[in-house]
Amino acid sequence: RFLVRLARRGLSCTVEPGQSVVQALQARGIALPVACEQGVCGTCLTRVLAGRPAHRDAYLSEAERQAGDCFLPCVSRSLDPVLVLDA
Ligand code: FES
């Protein structure tokens, strides 16, 4: 489990092992834009301000993956205890 902090909204949300970041936020009434929810379309692309994302998508290029400044919250997770998003 890890924490996502939404910098623009000024709130935090715990993501449990069995749920995606999108699902955890939905449970709190926050709807990120999504379409495929399988990490392939790029609709949910979100900027990462701090923390290292654990990429699980099939959308980002290797360079984008390594830059670590954006991720796909419908499938990807966090390597760090806290991931701060521009959302
Ligand atoms: Fe398609 Fe996340 S909704 S990549």
Side-chain angles (χ1 to χ4, degrees):
R1 90 161 45 156
F2 57 96
L3 198 74
V4 284
R5 188 169 297 151
L6 305 189
R8 278 192 267 141
R9 290 174 173 86
L11 59 85
S12 299
C13 177
T14 301
V15 183
E16 300 293 344
Q19 61 181 178
S20 68
V21 173
V22 164
Q23 288 166 346
L25 293 174
Q26 258 164 12
R28 292 277 304 271
I30 299 155
L32 295 183
V34 290
C36 72
E37 294 197 61
Q38 292 178 20
V40 298
C41 74
T43 302
C44 66
L45 186 72
T46 301
R47 253 178 19 104
V48 175
L49 302 176
R52 294 167 300 159
H55 298 292
R56 304 273 169 86
D57 66 278
Y59 178 82
L60 295 177
S61 69
E62 197 50 44
E64 288 170 324
R65 234 171 263 285
Q66 286 184 3
D69 58 359
C70 61
F71 88 137
L72 284 304
C74 67
V75 292
S76 295
R77 308 190 68 80
S78 181
L79 294 174
D80 291 317
V82 182
L83 200 61
V84 183
L85 307 180
D86 182 18

